[in-house]
Coordinates of all heavy atoms in Angstrom, one line a residue:
Chain A
M76 N 66.2 -54.0 33.2 CA 65.3 -55.1 32.7 C 66.2 -56.3 32.3 O 65.7 -57.1 31.6 CB 64.4 -54.6 31.6 CG 65.2 -53.9 30.5 SD 63.9 -53.2 29.3 CE 65.0 -52.3 28.2
G77 N 67.4 -56.3 32.9 CA 68.3 -57.4 32.6 C 69.6 -57.0 31.9 O 70.6 -57.6 32.0
M349 N 59.6 -62.8 30.6 CA 59.4 -63.9 31.6 C 58.3 -63.5 32.7 O 57.5 -64.3 33.1 CB 60.7 -64.3 32.3 CG 60.8 -65.7 32.7 SD 60.7 -66.8 31.4 CE 59.5 -67.9 32.0
G398 N 60.9 -57.8 34.9 CA 61.2 -59.2 34.6 C 61.2 -59.4 33.1 O 60.5 -60.2 32.5
G399 N 62.1 -58.7 32.4 CA 62.2 -58.6 31.0 C 61.4 -57.5 30.4 O 60.3 -57.2 30.9
F401 N 62.2 -56.1 26.5 CA 62.3 -56.4 25.1 C 61.5 -55.5 24.2 O 61.2 -55.8 23.1 CB 62.0 -57.9 24.8 CG 62.6 -58.9 25.8 CD1 61.9 -59.7 26.6 CD2 64.0 -58.9 25.9 CE1 62.5 -60.6 27.5 CE2 64.6 -59.8 26.8 CZ 63.9 -60.6 27.6
Chain B
V94 N 75.4 -64.9 36.7 CA 74.4 -65.5 35.8 C 73.3 -64.6 35.5 O 72.9 -64.5 34.3 CB 73.8 -66.8 36.4 CG1 72.6 -67.3 35.6 CG2 74.8 -67.9 36.6
V95 N 72.7 -63.9 36.4 CA 71.4 -63.3 36.3 C 71.4 -62.1 35.3 O 72.4 -61.4 35.1 CB 70.8 -62.8 37.6 CG1 70.8 -63.9 38.6 CG2 71.4 -61.5 38.1
Q96 N 70.2 -62.0 34.7 CA 69.9 -60.7 33.9 C 68.7 -60.1 34.5 O 68.8 -59.5 35.6 CB 69.8 -61.0 32.4 CG 71.2 -61.4 31.8 CD 71.3 -61.5 30.3 OE1 70.5 -60.9 29.6 NE2 72.2 -62.3 29.8
C97 N 67.5 -60.2 33.9 CA 66.4 -59.6 34.5 C 66.1 -60.2 35.9 O 65.6 -59.6 36.8 CB 65.1 -59.6 33.6 SG 64.2 -61.2 33.7
G98 N 66.5 -61.5 36.0 CA 66.4 -62.2 37.3 C 65.1 -62.9 37.5 O 65.0 -63.7 38.5
Y99 N 64.1 -62.7 36.7 CA 62.8 -63.2 37.0 C 62.7 -64.7 37.0 O 62.0 -65.3 37.9 CB 61.7 -62.6 36.0 CG 60.3 -62.9 36.5 CD1 59.7 -62.0 37.4 CD2 59.5 -63.9 36.0 CE1 58.4 -62.2 37.8 CE2 58.2 -64.1 36.4 CZ 57.7 -63.2 37.3 OH 56.4 -63.4 37.7
C100 N 63.5 -65.4 36.2 CA 63.4 -66.9 36.1 C 64.3 -67.5 37.1 O 64.3 -68.7 37.3 CB 63.8 -67.4 34.7 SG 65.6 -67.2 34.4
Q101 N 65.2 -66.7 37.8 CA 66.3 -67.3 38.4 C 66.0 -68.1 39.7 O 66.7 -69.0 40.0 CB 67.4 -66.2 38.7 CG 68.0 -65.6 37.4 CD 68.8 -66.5 36.5 OE1 69.1 -67.6 37.0 NE2 69.0 -66.2 35.3
Q104 N 65.3 -71.4 38.4 CA 66.5 -72.0 37.8 C 67.4 -72.6 39.0 O 67.9 -73.7 39.0 CB 67.4 -71.0 37.1 CG 66.7 -70.3 35.9 CD 66.5 -71.1 34.7 OE1 66.9 -72.3 34.6 NE2 66.0 -70.5 33.6
I131 N 62.5 -72.0 31.5 CA 62.8 -71.1 30.4 C 63.5 -69.8 31.0 O 63.1 -69.4 32.1 CB 61.5 -70.6 29.7 CG1 60.9 -71.8 28.9 CG2 61.7 -69.4 28.8 CD1 59.5 -71.5 28.3
C132 N 64.4 -69.3 30.3 CA 65.0 -68.0 30.6 C 64.9 -67.1 29.3 O 65.6 -67.4 28.4 CB 66.5 -68.1 31.0 SG 67.2 -66.4 31.3
R133 N 64.0 -66.1 29.3 CA 63.9 -65.3 28.1 C 65.1 -64.4 27.9 O 65.3 -64.0 26.8 CB 62.6 -64.5 28.2 CG 61.3 -65.2 27.9 CD 61.3 -65.7 26.4 NE 60.8 -64.7 25.5 CZ 61.0 -64.7 24.2 NH1 61.9 -65.6 23.7 NH2 60.4 -63.9 23.4
C134 N 65.9 -64.2 29.0 CA 67.1 -63.4 28.8 C 68.2 -64.3 28.3 O 69.3 -63.7 28.0 CB 67.5 -62.8 30.2 SG 66.3 -61.6 30.8
G135 N 68.0 -65.6 28.2 CA 69.1 -66.4 27.6 C 70.3 -66.6 28.4 O 71.4 -66.6 27.9
T136 N 70.1 -66.8 29.7 CA 71.3 -67.0 30.6 C 71.8 -68.4 30.6 O 72.6 -68.8 31.4 CB 71.0 -66.5 32.0 OG1 70.0 -67.3 32.6 CG2 70.6 -65.1 32.1
I140 N 74.1 -70.5 33.2 CA 73.5 -71.4 34.1 C 74.3 -72.7 34.0 O 74.7 -73.3 35.0 CB 72.0 -71.7 33.8 CG1 71.2 -70.4 34.1 CG2 71.5 -72.9 34.5 CD1 69.8 -70.5 33.6
Ligands
LIG802 S1 67.1 -63.8 33.7 FE1 65.5 -62.9 32.7 S2 64.2 -64.6 32.2 FE2 66.0 -65.5 33.0

Side-chain angles (χ1 to χ4, degrees):
Chain A
M76 49 188 178
M349 210 62 228
F401 313 120
Chain B
V94 170
V95 309
Q96 291 191 25
C97 85
Y99 193 80
C100 73
Q101 297 295 345
Q104 305 282 4
I131 293 173
C132 175
R133 279 297 268 159
C134 299
T136 62
I140 291 173

